[in-house]
Amino acid sequence: MKYLVTGAAGFIGFHVTQRLLAAGHQVVGLDNLNDYYDVNLKTARLALIADCPDFIFIKADLADREGIAALFRTHAPQRVIHLAAQAGVRYSLENPLAYADANLIGHLNILEGCRHQRVEHLLYASSSSVYGLNRKLPFSTDDSVDHPVSLYAATKKANELMAHTYSHLYAIPTTGLRFFTVYGPWGRPDMALFKFTRAMLAGDAIDVYNNGEMQRDFTYIDDIAEAIMRLQDVIPAADNNWTVESGSPATSSAPYRVYNIGNSQPVKLMDYIQALEKALGIVAVKNMLPMQPGDVLDTSADTRALYQAIGFKPATDVEQGVARFVDWYRDFYRV
């Protein structure tokens, strides 16, 4: 089968592309290789898959309407796994227009490509950040997500709404993936684990927000990739019996579905740091800071619907996952 994977040089996209190629599929990988974080890390990921005869890499921007339309016409993917986006909660406070270009216009361009190519299944990245001010734990896809606290989260909520519209109007099966704090080897340098590791090895203090009084549903990258690989075969179907009044907002009369992909075992931030200290053999110097705008206090995923759909849910514990990341980091950066 031929897949289009957007964000193929990104953290999750790289891992998913590796798995698709290993399973014998063809992959057209799209990425704009922007400098939001170290481009060398992105090119190093690509180098591991570039020589595969079933892989084609295209450097292009999601916001390029004509370019994305031409890509769909030329390569005619059967399925699309749309993982490219402008990521980062805090950066969305600094550069909001980047999120409009990549996450709104870019997502619409992908939907249009799927519409005209009659793609059989579109999976796309959403985020646990859509739960915003929700304090009921664990977060369920049956919950309201109408109160985001960052523009990044608002764009992800918008992605779900846009996908539903296309599922309803054009019968395009779409599946939204609400990821919960993904970490692991080849991870993003803007995320806590990467920043903490770099600082601790350099002998610098780490910034710990809200004085460490937060917990996150940290989810290991291999579990994320496994869930995506299984879900791409679970194609949503229309449900004529569904109604707004009685149905879940994660489902629809249209071929539309949304899932949480999280570990379902929230971990206190200080315990996460402790796992990193153990893996590095270094006690961190901690710079305790107040809560940052756009952050949420706690996250925890209700993954019952995910398990019902694919018979799998993430389960890698933090101590094991952090140790694997540290092994990768030391090897990649030779430290």
Side-chain angles (χ1 to χ4, degrees), residues 192-238:
L193 182 59
F194 207 111
K195 291 196 291 187
F196 289 170
T197 300
R198 183 168 51 203
M200 289 166 65
L201 286 170
D204 297 330
I206 63 173
D207 291 338
V208 182
Y209 294 105
N210 200 41
N211 297 303
E213 296 297 318
M214 293 188 289
Q215 61 178 1
R216 291 287 182 268
D217 205 337
F218 296 103
T219 311
Y220 189 64
I221 182 60
D222 287 0
D223 290 337
I224 292 284
E226 179 66 22
I228 293 172
M229 289 296 293
R230 295 190 186 207
L231 279 172
Q232 53 94 13
D233 282 328
V234 181
I235 300 176

Side-chain angles (χ1 to χ4, degrees), residues 28-50:
V28 177
L30 169 72
D31 207 292
N32 68 357
L33 298 177
N34 70 24
D35 61 359
Y36 169 65
Y37 64 79
D38 184 10
V39 176
N40 292 322
L41 181 58
K42 299 178 183 182
T43 56
R45 294 177 186 136
L46 278 178
L48 294 180
I49 51 179

Side-chain angles (χ1 to χ4, degrees), residues 32 52 73 77 81 97 99 106 120 135 210 222 231 235 316:
N32 68 357
C52 179
R73 287 194 301 268
I81 302 178
L97 294 179
Y99 292 76
E120 70 175 44
R135 296 304 309 278
N210 200 41
D222 287 0
L231 279 172
I235 300 176
T316 304

Side-chain angles (χ1 to χ4, degrees), residues 245-261:
E245 293 76 16
S246 62
S248 165
T251 60
S252 176
S253 54
Y256 166 89
R257 198 72 171 85
V258 173
Y259 295 97
N260 286 335
I261 306 183

Side-chain angles (χ1 to χ4, degrees), residues 8-24:
F11 178 27
I12 301 174
F14 159 68
H15 283 274
V16 170
T17 297
Q18 277 192 316
R19 289 195 178 220
L20 289 170
L21 293 171

Side-chain angles (χ1 to χ4, degrees), residues 297-315:
L297 277 174
D298 306 307
T299 65
S300 177
D302 181 337
T303 56
R304 287 175 294 180
L306 178 71
Y307 187 78
Q308 290 170 3
I310 60 173
F312 171 82
K313 58 183 179 181

